[in-house]
């Protein structure tokens, strides 16, 4: 049996995609996976589908919020429930290639690192490939703020090499704020430039609108991190230059 990995999946009205996400997590090769799905007040039949799968697959745990509290709260609830040494994040509309986790565990052990991320293939809601996001082997905290190469669904963390953490209560960019904080603490992160994570670009997602995403970055710089105005402007300019051409 391979390394144990707890996978946290926040779910909000993702009935169309949740079964695919769960299948990709549970079919990972070379690792022992359990999945914690946190339903964030869905109004579709996401919960019914998760429960149906849970009756067949004991590795699925379901936590449910009575109302929508946001991705940060959902992920934090999953983090609190996770029990394995390795912690992975997967959004309900994304999915993994079968060797994704095993490749990352191998890399974390070889590099004695705490955080691993992968390249990403971007698909539309019909499954058509739109492009690929390449990632560097290493990334620094300040570099991350202007070009976030760490996709949340690509992250694997060795919890024995990090202090306990939670995501801040931001509606957007709570993941970027978390990775930035970990890197600021000296956590070593390594990227695997292979498209082992598939990201689904949904028309109704918060991050799909580039104007909303840009505004969220600005709020992160100025309100959450308290970055001085001149520095924030410089960072935002660099961010915008890459975000406009990103698939």
């Amino acid at each position: 049996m391979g390394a144990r990995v707890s996978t946290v999946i926040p779910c909000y009205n993702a009935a169309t995609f949740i079964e695919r996400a769960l299948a990709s997590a549970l079919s990972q090769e070379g690792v022992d996976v359990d999945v914690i799905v946190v339903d964030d007040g869905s109004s579709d039949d996401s919960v019914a589908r998760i429960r149906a799968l849970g009756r067949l697959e004991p590795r699925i745990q379901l936590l449910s919020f009575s109302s929508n509290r946001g991705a940060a709260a959902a992920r934090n609830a999953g983090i609190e429930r996770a029990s394995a040494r390795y912690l992975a994040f997967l959004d309900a509309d994304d999915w993994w290639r079968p060797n994704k986790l095993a490749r990352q565990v191998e890399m974390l052990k070889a590099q004695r690192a705490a955080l691993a991320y992968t390249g990403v293939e971007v698909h539309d809601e019909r499954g058509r490939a739109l492009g690929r996001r390449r990632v560097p082997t290493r990334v620094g905290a300040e570099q991350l703020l202007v070009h976030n190469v760490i996709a949340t669904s690509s992250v694997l963390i060795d919890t024995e090499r990090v202090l306990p953490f939670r995501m801040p209560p931001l509606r957007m960019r709570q993941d970027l704020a978390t990775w930035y904080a970990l890197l600021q603490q000296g956590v070593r992160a390594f990227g695997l430039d292979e498209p082992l994570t598939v990201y689904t670009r949904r028309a109704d997602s918060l991050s799909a609108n580039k104007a909303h995403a840009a505004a969220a970055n600005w709020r992160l710089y100025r309100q959450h991190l308290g970055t001085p105005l001149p520095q924030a402007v410089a960072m935002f300019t660099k961010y915008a230059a890459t975000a406009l051409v990103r698939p």
Side-chain angles (χ1 to χ4, degrees), residues 187-204:
V187 165
R188 299 175 71 233
F190 277 79
L192 188 61
D193 190 26
E194 300 177 18
L196 301 177
T197 302
V198 180
Y199 166 78
T200 301
R201 177 176 290 163
R202 292 173 61 182
D204 62 347

Side-chain angles (χ1 to χ4, degrees), residues 75 148 150-152 167-168 172-180:
R75 293 190 184 113
N148 182 15
I150 302 180
T152 303
M167 291 193 173
M172 291 182 69
R173 296 299 188 257
Q174 73 284 147
D175 46 358
L176 173 56
T178 302
W179 317 144
Y180 175 77

